[in-house]
Amino acid sequence: MNIVMAASEAVPYAKTGGLADVVGALAIELTKLGHHVILVMPDYRGRAAGESRQLAMRLSIPVDGKPVDVTVEEENVPVTGALHRLRVLFVRYDPYFDRPGLYQQDHHDYPDNLERFILFCRATLEIVRGLMETRGEKVDVLHLHDWQTALCAVYLKTLPHEYKGLDQLKVLLTLHNMGYQGVFPGQQFTKLGLPPSLFSPSGLEFYGSVNCLKGGIIFSDAVSTVSPTYAQEIMTAEYGCGLEGVLASRAEGVKGITNGIDIDAWNPESDSYLPAQYTAADLSGKRACKRALQRELELPNRDVPLLAVIGRLTFQKGFDLLIDVIPELMSLDIQTVVLGTGDHHLEQQFIAAKARYPDRIGLCLGFNEGMAHRIEAGSDMLIMPSRYEPCGLSQLYSLRYGTVPIVRRTGGLADTVIPFRPSTVKSGCATGFHFIDTSTDSLLSALLLSLHVYKERQTWQSLIYAGMNVDLSWRRSAKLYVDLYRGLQEGKKEN
Ligand code: ADP
């Protein structure tokens, strides 16, 4: 198939979160499966010099009623094991994208984010038109990701006279996190260049504001998200962030496809970030990683359970619950390591906890890729008390590294961690622990259960073994996306 994927970030070019991992890995995996993939993304500051890039197109894009001259540069990326290359098209307009951050600077969103992504969306559609009409190439599906690309669907479906040649193009929108919708003041609607009638509750209006994601949900042919449970959850008021009604009104529903991980970058058998490598059959390297991690984070070398916390320190991730149970935690004979960055208040609370319990808590504030690998390898269990979690990656890395996840039963956490129960233990498929309520009691009960099971060495080994043998590859997920694309192309309602 011929797939154009539009995204505001993708590894290895630009990343602020899991979206970039998903887009980069999915594009590669689809290429390996034999599909022709073109990835379209903004040309941000700081891409390495000396890459072989060619000027592919010059475009004039209307933004807020004025034409903006844009260039499109193409890079062809070889993909190991694939018949053809992955093509990446960079939309270049330096006044918008040659900036220090992708969406914000000093924790403040750029005031012209709407214009920036109007430009990007319209440029994406012009690129598709250029490929089809000028170059005679085929495009079967346009796959959008998150609010930054959602306007593509709106322009395509509401301005048919402008995009005549593209009327057969099918559009899939994938929602990676309902917490980010691209909401702007209502007065800015005119910048979009859309019919005024679209600024209504049945269009892009959202309580007097412009909501880009809402537009994408309404006008895409199919909508998906990154786990089956999150797909159900976002149709409820608790998780839909105000768009639950719009999502629920889509007759075809929302398809959930769980993310994979990069099983080469995250492989305990070959991970060069680790002081020792290991396999499920021989975990001696994991024990060496634990001792090295204790040294690195200045914790005593003791054979006690080591609990890991990795992630953005935000309300979403629920780490405030963990702060609340620290006194109880510290009454147990365990150590805790924390890697994260985010809310100042939470960072301060972890600093205070570390100062109070220096021999029990290892703390690393900041973004540190190597440390994330070493913590995943050196810990016994990882806790994710997320209030919501579209998919989650850290628990997947934990499974692969033989670190048992303790997760709140929500979104992708519910789908990817098989909870400890008599039946799942008996059948050898349990991989971790669930708790349901967003409460300290619930979290503490799951933790205590895990510590109890930790002492039953054989049962604990079976949890590790089952986790390390789960298929977390992108291949499985990429095939499900292909099914979805095919369903769209055949005009079926696959959702
Ligand atoms: P989200 O995308 O909501 O932040 P995910 O669990 O989907 O959460 O992905 C988070 C990714 O970022 C994981 O790969 C995790 O290892 C990584 N990560 C989060 N915080 C840090 C950090 N401080 N240092 C290194 N890696 C981090």
Side-chain angles (χ1 to χ4, degrees):
M1 294 187 77
N2 301 283
I3 304 143
V4 171
M5 190 146 2
S8 58
E9 52 184 275
V11 291
Y13 305 104
K15 170 170 172 172
T16 65
L19 168 67
D21 291 321
V22 174
V23 173
L26 179 59
I28 296 274
E29 204 56 51
L30 290 167
T31 309
K32 283 187 186 169
L33 287 173
H35 302 287
H36 294 266
V37 182
I38 296 178
L39 172 60
V40 183
M41 59 179 294
D43 191 21
Y44 298 108
R45 177 181 295 181
R47 284 202 316 107
E51 292 159 352
S52 55
R53 284 208 273 169
Q54 289 174 349
L55 180 66
M57 296 177 193
R58 286 183 195 281
L59 306 172
S60 176
I61 307 291
V63 179
D64 198 9
K66 295 178 240 22
V68 174
D69 292 328
V70 169
T71 55
V72 180
E73 296 177 11
E74 177 162 351
E75 195 174 310
N76 293 316
V77 183
V79 175
T80 316
L83 290 177
H84 28 255
R85 292 175 171 231
L86 166 66
R87 293 162 69 189
V88 187
L89 297 184
F90 294 97
V91 173
R92 181 162 187 184
Y93 183 62
D94 288 351
Y96 279 177
F97 300 119
D98 183 13
R99 298 185 183 179
L102 268 52
Y103 317 119
Q104 51 174 236
Q105 193 174 0
D106 302 329
H107 301 289
H108 292 290
D109 287 347
Y110 293 124
D112 57 356
N113 271 347
L114 182 60
E115 290 93 315
R116 295 172 80 223
F117 289 101
I118 289 173
L119 175 93
F120 179 62
C121 289
R122 286 215 174 224
T124 298
L125 292 178
E126 288 307 326
I127 287 170
V128 174
R129 192 209 304 272
L131 292 170
M132 292 172 79
E133 292 182 355
T134 315
R135 298 196 187 180
E137 295 185 31
K138 220 169 144 236
V139 178
D140 300 311
V141 175
L142 175 60
H143 188 168
L144 310 176
H145 296 268
D146 277 353
W147 78 261
Q148 294 90 344
T149 56
L151 291 173
C152 289
V154 180
Y155 286 121
L156 190 63
K157 305 290 170 165
T158 64
L159 301 178
H161 51 285
E162 276 193 44
Y163 296 104
K164 253 191 226 118
L166 307 186
D167 48 350
Q168 294 302 310
L169 185 63
K170 293 295 178 189
V171 181
L172 167 66
L173 170 66
T174 297
L175 311 168
H176 295 260
N177 189 332
M178 293 301 293
Y180 303 89
Q181 300 184 358
V183 177
F184 299 92
Q187 308 85 287
Q188 297 197 22
F189 180 78
T190 52
K191 293 181 177 172
L192 292 159
L194 288 167
S197 59
L198 280 175
F199 191 61
S200 66
S202 59
L204 277 70
E205 189 193 339
F206 184 71
Y207 301 106
S209 298
V210 178
N211 186 320
C212 296
L213 194 67
K214 183 182 174 200
I217 292 169
I218 293 171
F219 291 106
S220 293
D221 296 298
V223 175
S224 75
T225 186
V226 290
S227 69
T229 295
Y230 194 59
Q232 295 302 315
E233 286 174 342
I234 57 180
M235 286 194 248
T236 66
E238 191 180 350
Y239 294 96
C241 299
L243 294 185
E244 56 277 5
V246 183
L247 285 164
S249 68
R250 285 192 61 90
E252 318 81 12
V254 177
K255 174 97 178 169
I257 299 179
T258 309
N259 290 333
I261 60 168
D262 182 337
I263 54 173
D264 297 323
W266 291 87
N267 183 356
E269 275 186 57
S270 57
D271 190 332
S272 57
Y273 283 118
L274 306 185
Q277 285 68 36
Y278 58 94
T279 62
D282 178 2
L283 292 169
S284 54
K286 184 167 174 69
R287 290 190 283 276
C289 287
K290 180 171 176 178
R291 289 191 294 273
L293 180 65
Q294 287 169 324
R295 269 195 302 281
E296 187 173 3
L297 290 175
E298 295 172 351
L299 293 172
N301 261 157
R302 296 187 55 226
D303 186 18
V304 292
L306 184 53
L307 173 70
V309 177
I310 303 178
R312 291 182 291 116
L313 303 181
T314 61
F315 186 72
Q316 177 199 334
K317 299 290 174 181
F319 294 135
D320 49 304
L321 294 176
L322 202 69
I323 292 280
D324 291 344
V325 299
I326 279 183
E328 280 96 339
L329 263 188
M330 293 299 121
S331 70
L332 306 165
D333 196 15
I334 66 166
Q335 295 175 340
T336 305
V337 293
V338 180
L339 168 64
T341 175
D343 292 353
H344 179 71
H345 185 60
L346 267 175
E347 289 192 358
Q348 291 305 313
Q349 286 180 306
F350 278 114
I351 289 171
K354 164 78 185 165
R356 184 146 180 225
Y357 305 101
D359 284 352
R360 313 287 304 285
I361 297 178
L363 181 61
C364 179
L365 291 178
F367 196 91
N368 186 331
E369 183 76 20
M371 181 66 85
H373 287 243
R374 288 191 292 282
I375 291 180
E376 290 284 11
S379 305
D380 294 301
M381 51 228 9
L382 170 117
I383 190 148
M384 288 184 74
S386 306
R387 290 197 161 76
Y388 72 95
E389 195 61 75
C391 178
L393 291 173
S394 296
Q395 86 282 7
L396 301 180
Y397 301 144
S398 294
L399 292 173
R400 187 146 169 82
Y401 280 63
T403 296
V404 176
I406 305 165
V407 300
R408 191 173 158 250
R409 189 183 300 168
T410 184
L413 300 176
D415 293 329
T416 58
V417 176
I418 300 177
F420 177 91
R421 287 194 193 120
S423 59
T424 55
V425 173
K426 198 165 167 213
S427 60
C429 63
T431 58
F433 298 86
H434 281 189
F435 61 97
I436 296 174
D437 299 332
T438 310
S439 72
T440 49
D441 281 352
S442 192
L443 181 152
L444 208 55
S445 303
L447 247 173
L448 290 173
L449 176 61
S450 76
L451 293 172
H452 178 74
V453 177
Y454 178 82
K455 289 190 207 133
E456 296 173 16
R457 299 310 292 180
Q458 223 177 335
T459 311
W460 192 257
Q461 289 288 331
S462 76
L463 292 181
I464 292 180
Y465 189 77
M468 290 183 83
N469 282 299
V470 175
D471 177 8
L472 300 167
S473 71
W474 262 105
R475 176 139 303 204
R476 180 187 43 84
S477 314
K479 284 183 178 165
L480 294 173
Y481 277 107
V482 173
D483 291 345
L484 195 48
Y485 301 152
R486 289 230 163 91
L488 274 176
Q489 210 189 4
E490 289 160 15
K492 285 195 218 141
K493 304 284 187 205
E494 285 272 320
N495 275 339

mmCIF file with all atom_site columns, all heavy atoms in Angstrom, residues 476-489:
data_model
loop_
_atom_site.group_PDB
_atom_site.id
_atom_site.type_symbol
_atom_site.label_atom_id
_atom_site.label_alt_id
_atom_site.label_comp_id
_atom_site.label_asym_id
_atom_site.label_entity_id
_atom_site.label_seq_id
_atom_site.pdbx_PDB_ins_code
_atom_site.Cartn_x
_atom_site.Cartn_y
_atom_site.Cartn_z
_atom_site.occupancy
_atom_site.B_iso_or_equiv
_atom_site.pdbx_formal_charge
_atom_site.auth_seq_id
_atom_site.auth_comp_id
_atom_site.auth_asym_id
_atom_site.auth_atom_id
_atom_site.pdbx_PDB_model_num
ATOM 1   N N   . ARG A 1 476 ? 3.580   -6.921  15.027 1.00 0.00 ? 476 ARG A N   1
ATOM 2   C CA  . ARG A 1 476 ? 2.201   -7.287  15.376 1.00 0.00 ? 476 ARG A CA  1
ATOM 3   C C   . ARG A 1 476 ? 1.266   -6.069  15.225 1.00 0.00 ? 476 ARG A C   1
ATOM 4   O O   . ARG A 1 476 ? 0.224   -6.143  14.598 1.00 0.00 ? 476 ARG A O   1
ATOM 5   C CB  . ARG A 1 476 ? 2.214   -7.778  16.835 1.00 0.00 ? 476 ARG A CB  1
ATOM 6   C CG  . ARG A 1 476 ? 0.948   -8.220  17.443 1.00 0.00 ? 476 ARG A CG  1
ATOM 7   C CD  . ARG A 1 476 ? 1.195   -8.488  18.949 1.00 0.00 ? 476 ARG A CD  1
ATOM 8   N NE  . ARG A 1 476 ? 2.016   -7.456  19.588 1.00 0.00 ? 476 ARG A NE  1
ATOM 9   C CZ  . ARG A 1 476 ? 1.560   -6.312  20.069 1.00 0.00 ? 476 ARG A CZ  1
ATOM 10  N NH1 . ARG A 1 476 ? 0.284   -6.056  20.016 1.00 0.00 ? 476 ARG A NH1 1
ATOM 11  N NH2 . ARG A 1 476 ? 2.374   -5.421  20.618 1.00 0.00 ? 476 ARG A NH2 1
ATOM 12  N N   . SER A 1 477 ? 1.701   -4.917  15.783 1.00 0.00 ? 477 SER A N   1
ATOM 13  C CA  . SER A 1 477 ? 0.844   -3.723  15.721 1.00 0.00 ? 477 SER A CA  1
ATOM 14  C C   . SER A 1 477 ? 0.754   -3.189  14.289 1.00 0.00 ? 477 SER A C   1
ATOM 15  O O   . SER A 1 477 ? -0.320  -2.769  13.851 1.00 0.00 ? 477 SER A O   1
ATOM 16  C CB  . SER A 1 477 ? 1.415   -2.616  16.610 1.00 0.00 ? 477 SER A CB  1
ATOM 17  O OG  . SER A 1 477 ? 1.786   -3.119  17.847 1.00 0.00 ? 477 SER A OG  1
ATOM 18  N N   . ALA A 1 478 ? 1.891   -3.213  13.571 1.00 0.00 ? 478 ALA A N   1
ATOM 19  C CA  . ALA A 1 478 ? 1.896   -2.662  12.203 1.00 0.00 ? 478 ALA A CA  1
ATOM 20  C C   . ALA A 1 478 ? 0.917   -3.436  11.326 1.00 0.00 ? 478 ALA A C   1
ATOM 21  O O   . ALA A 1 478 ? 0.203   -2.846  10.497 1.00 0.00 ? 478 ALA A O   1
ATOM 22  C CB  . ALA A 1 478 ? 3.306   -2.715  11.632 1.00 0.00 ? 478 ALA A CB  1
ATOM 23  N N   . LYS A 1 479 ? 0.832   -4.741  11.528 1.00 0.00 ? 479 LYS A N   1
ATOM 24  C CA  . LYS A 1 479 ? -0.102  -5.545  10.724 1.00 0.00 ? 479 LYS A CA  1
ATOM 25  C C   . LYS A 1 479 ? -1.552  -5.143  11.003 1.00 0.00 ? 479 LYS A C   1
ATOM 26  O O   . LYS A 1 479 ? -2.393  -5.149  10.114 1.00 0.00 ? 479 LYS A O   1
ATOM 27  C CB  . LYS A 1 479 ? 0.105   -7.032  11.013 1.00 0.00 ? 479 LYS A CB  1
ATOM 28  C CG  . LYS A 1 479 ? 1.360   -7.577  10.342 1.00 0.00 ? 479 LYS A CG  1
ATOM 29  C CD  . LYS A 1 479 ? 1.476   -9.059  10.611 1.00 0.00 ? 479 LYS A CD  1
ATOM 30  C CE  . LYS A 1 479 ? 2.699   -9.618  9.892  1.00 0.00 ? 479 LYS A CE  1
ATOM 31  N NZ  . LYS A 1 479 ? 3.064   -10.956 10.382 1.00 0.00 ? 479 LYS A NZ  1
ATOM 32  N N   . LEU A 1 480 ? -1.824  -4.791  12.254 1.00 0.00 ? 480 LEU A N   1
ATOM 33  C CA  . LEU A 1 480 ? -3.196  -4.358  12.587 1.00 0.00 ? 480 LEU A CA  1
ATOM 34  C C   . LEU A 1 480 ? -3.508  -3.020  11.914 1.00 0.00 ? 480 LEU A C   1
ATOM 35  O O   . LEU A 1 480 ? -4.643  -2.776  11.478 1.00 0.00 ? 480 LEU A O   1
ATOM 36  C CB  . LEU A 1 480 ? -3.362  -4.251  14.105 1.00 0.00 ? 480 LEU A CB  1
ATOM 37  C CG  . LEU A 1 480 ? -3.273  -5.589  14.854 1.00 0.00 ? 480 LEU A CG  1
ATOM 38  C CD1 . LEU A 1 480 ? -3.274  -5.369  16.367 1.00 0.00 ? 480 LEU A CD1 1
ATOM 39  C CD2 . LEU A 1 480 ? -4.434  -6.503  14.455 1.00 0.00 ? 480 LEU A CD2 1
ATOM 40  N N   . TYR A 1 481 ? -2.496  -2.129  11.840 1.00 0.00 ? 481 TYR A N   1
ATOM 41  C CA  . TYR A 1 481 ? -2.716  -0.866  11.115 1.00 0.00 ? 481 TYR A CA  1
ATOM 42  C C   . TYR A 1 481 ? -2.980  -1.135  9.635  1.00 0.00 ? 481 TYR A C   1
ATOM 43  O O   . TYR A 1 481 ? -3.844  -0.499  9.018  1.00 0.00 ? 481 TYR A O   1
ATOM 44  C CB  . TYR A 1 481 ? -1.518  0.082   11.285 1.00 0.00 ? 481 TYR A CB  1
ATOM 45  C CG  . TYR A 1 481 ? -1.576  0.870   12.578 1.00 0.00 ? 481 TYR A CG  1
ATOM 46  C CD1 . TYR A 1 481 ? -0.726  0.582   13.633 1.00 0.00 ? 481 TYR A CD1 1
ATOM 47  C CD2 . TYR A 1 481 ? -2.493  1.904   12.750 1.00 0.00 ? 481 TYR A CD2 1
ATOM 48  C CE1 . TYR A 1 481 ? -0.782  1.289   14.831 1.00 0.00 ? 481 TYR A CE1 1
ATOM 49  C CE2 . TYR A 1 481 ? -2.561  2.621   13.938 1.00 0.00 ? 481 TYR A CE2 1
ATOM 50  C CZ  . TYR A 1 481 ? -1.708  2.305   14.964 1.00 0.00 ? 481 TYR A CZ  1
ATOM 51  O OH  . TYR A 1 481 ? -1.775  3.017   16.134 1.00 0.00 ? 481 TYR A OH  1
ATOM 52  N N   . VAL A 1 482 ? -2.251  -2.096  9.068  1.00 0.00 ? 482 VAL A N   1
ATOM 53  C CA  . VAL A 1 482 ? -2.460  -2.413  7.650  1.00 0.00 ? 482 VAL A CA  1
ATOM 54  C C   . VAL A 1 482 ? -3.891  -2.909  7.439  1.00 0.00 ? 482 VAL A C   1
ATOM 55  O O   . VAL A 1 482 ? -4.560  -2.505  6.477  1.00 0.00 ? 482 VAL A O   1
ATOM 56  C CB  . VAL A 1 482 ? -1.421  -3.454  7.160  1.00 0.00 ? 482 VAL A CB  1
ATOM 57  C CG1 . VAL A 1 482 ? -1.750  -3.904  5.740  1.00 0.00 ? 482 VAL A CG1 1
ATOM 58  C CG2 . VAL A 1 482 ? -0.019  -2.870  7.226  1.00 0.00 ? 482 VAL A CG2 1
ATOM 59  N N   . ASP A 1 483 ? -4.372  -3.737  8.361  1.00 0.00 ? 483 ASP A N   1
ATOM 60  C CA  . ASP A 1 483 ? -5.766  -4.201  8.258  1.00 0.00 ? 483 ASP A CA  1
ATOM 61  C C   . ASP A 1 483 ? -6.730  -3.015  8.260  1.00 0.00 ? 483 ASP A C   1
ATOM 62  O O   . ASP A 1 483 ? -7.702  -2.977  7.509  1.00 0.00 ? 483 ASP A O   1
ATOM 63  C CB  . ASP A 1 483 ? -6.131  -5.105  9.446  1.00 0.00 ? 483 ASP A CB  1
ATOM 64  C CG  . ASP A 1 483 ? -5.406  -6.433  9.380  1.00 0.00 ? 483 ASP A CG  1
ATOM 65  O OD1 . ASP A 1 483 ? -4.854  -6.770  8.318  1.00 0.00 ? 483 ASP A OD1 1
ATOM 66  O OD2 . ASP A 1 483 ? -5.378  -7.133  10.419 1.00 0.00 ? 483 ASP A OD2 1
ATOM 67  N N   . LEU A 1 484 ? -6.415  -2.066  9.122  1.00 0.00 ? 484 LEU A N   1
ATOM 68  C CA  . LEU A 1 484 ? -7.283  -0.881  9.220  1.00 0.00 ? 484 LEU A CA  1
ATOM 69  C C   . LEU A 1 484 ? -7.230  -0.064  7.921  1.00 0.00 ? 484 LEU A C   1
ATOM 70  O O   . LEU A 1 484 ? -8.262  0.368   7.397  1.00 0.00 ? 484 LEU A O   1
ATOM 71  C CB  . LEU A 1 484 ? -6.792  -0.042  10.413 1.00 0.00 ? 484 LEU A CB  1
ATOM 72  C CG  . LEU A 1 484 ? -7.675  1.047   10.974 1.00 0.00 ? 484 LEU A CG  1
ATOM 73  C CD1 . LEU A 1 484 ? -9.087  0.572   11.204 1.00 0.00 ? 484 LEU A CD1 1
ATOM 74  C CD2 . LEU A 1 484 ? -7.087  1.543   12.304 1.00 0.00 ? 484 LEU A CD2 1
ATOM 75  N N   . TYR A 1 485 ? -6.025  0.132   7.391  1.00 0.00 ? 485 TYR A N   1
ATOM 76  C CA  . TYR A 1 485 ? -5.883  0.859   6.112  1.00 0.00 ? 485 TYR A CA  1
ATOM 77  C C   . TYR A 1 485 ? -6.677  0.145   5.008  1.00 0.00 ? 485 TYR A C   1
ATOM 78  O O   . TYR A 1 485 ? -7.375  0.766   4.211  1.00 0.00 ? 485 TYR A O   1
ATOM 79  C CB  . TYR A 1 485 ? -4.425  0.923   5.650  1.00 0.00 ? 485 TYR A CB  1
ATOM 80  C CG  . TYR A 1 485 ? -3.424  1.590   6.582  1.00 0.00 ? 485 TYR A CG  1
ATOM 81  C CD1 . TYR A 1 485 ? -2.076  1.204   6.562  1.00 0.00 ? 485 TYR A CD1 1
ATOM 82  C CD2 . TYR A 1 485 ? -3.791  2.615   7.439  1.00 0.00 ? 485 TYR A CD2 1
ATOM 83  C CE1 . TYR A 1 485 ? -1.126  1.799   7.374  1.00 0.00 ? 485 TYR A CE1 1
ATOM 84  C CE2 . TYR A 1 485 ? -2.850  3.210   8.267  1.00 0.00 ? 485 TYR A CE2 1
ATOM 85  C CZ  . TYR A 1 485 ? -1.513  2.794   8.233  1.00 0.00 ? 485 TYR A CZ  1
ATOM 86  O OH  . TYR A 1 485 ? -0.583  3.383   9.040  1.00 0.00 ? 485 TYR A OH  1
ATOM 87  N N   . ARG A 1 486 ? -6.524  -1.186  4.980  1.00 0.00 ? 486 ARG A N   1
ATOM 88  C CA  . ARG A 1 486 ? -7.195  -1.970  3.918  1.00 0.00 ? 486 ARG A CA  1
ATOM 89  C C   . ARG A 1 486 ? -8.704  -1.829  4.031  1.00 0.00 ? 486 ARG A C   1
ATOM 90  O O   . ARG A 1 486 ? -9.400  -1.651  3.029  1.00 0.00 ? 486 ARG A O   1
ATOM 91  C CB  . ARG A 1 486 ? -6.823  -3.457  4.044  1.00 0.00 ? 486 ARG A CB  1
ATOM 92  C CG  . ARG A 1 486 ? -5.389  -3.728  3.644  1.00 0.00 ? 486 ARG A CG  1
ATOM 93  C CD  . ARG A 1 486 ? -5.277  -4.890  2.648  1.00 0.00 ? 486 ARG A CD  1
ATOM 94  N NE  . ARG A 1 486 ? -3.976  -4.837  2.008  1.00 0.00 ? 486 ARG A NE  1
ATOM 95  C CZ  . ARG A 1 486 ? -2.889  -5.471  2.457  1.00 0.00 ? 486 ARG A CZ  1
ATOM 96  N NH1 . ARG A 1 486 ? -2.981  -6.212  3.539  1.00 0.00 ? 486 ARG A NH1 1
ATOM 97  N NH2 . ARG A 1 486 ? -1.740  -5.365  1.808  1.00 0.00 ? 486 ARG A NH2 1
ATOM 98  N N   . GLY A 1 487 ? -9.184  -1.881  5.280  1.00 0.00 ? 487 GLY A N   1
ATOM 99  C CA  . GLY A 1 487 ? -10.619 -1.741  5.503  1.00 0.00 ? 487 GLY A CA  1
ATOM 100 C C   . GLY A 1 487 ? -11.108 -0.398  4.980  1.00 0.00 ? 487 GLY A C   1
ATOM 101 O O   . GLY A 1 487 ? -12.163 -0.294  4.351  1.00 0.00 ? 487 GLY A O   1
ATOM 102 N N   . LEU A 1 488 ? -10.327 0.628   5.206  1.00 0.00 ? 488 LEU A N   1
ATOM 103 C CA  . LEU A 1 488 ? -10.688 1.974   4.751  1.00 0.00 ? 488 LEU A CA  1
ATOM 104 C C   . LEU A 1 488 ? -10.720 2.018   3.235  1.00 0.00 ? 488 LEU A C   1
ATOM 105 O O   . LEU A 1 488 ? -11.630 2.577   2.623  1.00 0.00 ? 488 LEU A O   1
ATOM 106 C CB  . LEU A 1 488 ? -9.631  2.971   5.223  1.00 0.00 ? 488 LEU A CB  1
ATOM 107 C CG  . LEU A 1 488 ? -9.798  3.544   6.607  1.00 0.00 ? 488 LEU A CG  1
ATOM 108 C CD1 . LEU A 1 488 ? -8.627  4.437   6.939  1.00 0.00 ? 488 LEU A CD1 1
ATOM 109 C CD2 . LEU A 1 488 ? -11.089 4.356   6.662  1.00 0.00 ? 488 LEU A CD2 1
ATOM 110 N N   . GLN A 1 489 ? -9.681  1.426   2.656  1.00 0.00 ? 489 GLN A N   1
ATOM 111 C CA  . GLN A 1 489 ? -9.543  1.477   1.209  1.00 0.00 ? 489 GLN A CA  1
ATOM 112 C C   . GLN A 1 489 ? -10.695 0.750   0.534  1.00 0.00 ? 489 GLN A C   1
ATOM 113 O O   . GLN A 1 489 ? -11.200 1.175   -0.504 1.00 0.00 ? 489 GLN A O   1
ATOM 114 C CB  . GLN A 1 489 ? -8.229  0.806   0.837  1.00 0.00 ? 489 GLN A CB  1
ATOM 115 C CG  . GLN A 1 489 ? -7.614  1.371   -0.403 1.00 0.00 ? 489 GLN A CG  1
ATOM 116 C CD  . GLN A 1 489 ? -6.440  0.498   -0.811 1.00 0.00 ? 489 GLN A CD  1
ATOM 117 O OE1 . GLN A 1 489 ? -6.167  -0.537  -0.199 1.00 0.00 ? 489 GLN A OE1 1
ATOM 118 N NE2 . GLN A 1 489 ? -5.750  0.918   -1.841 1.00 0.00 ? 489 GLN A NE2 1
#
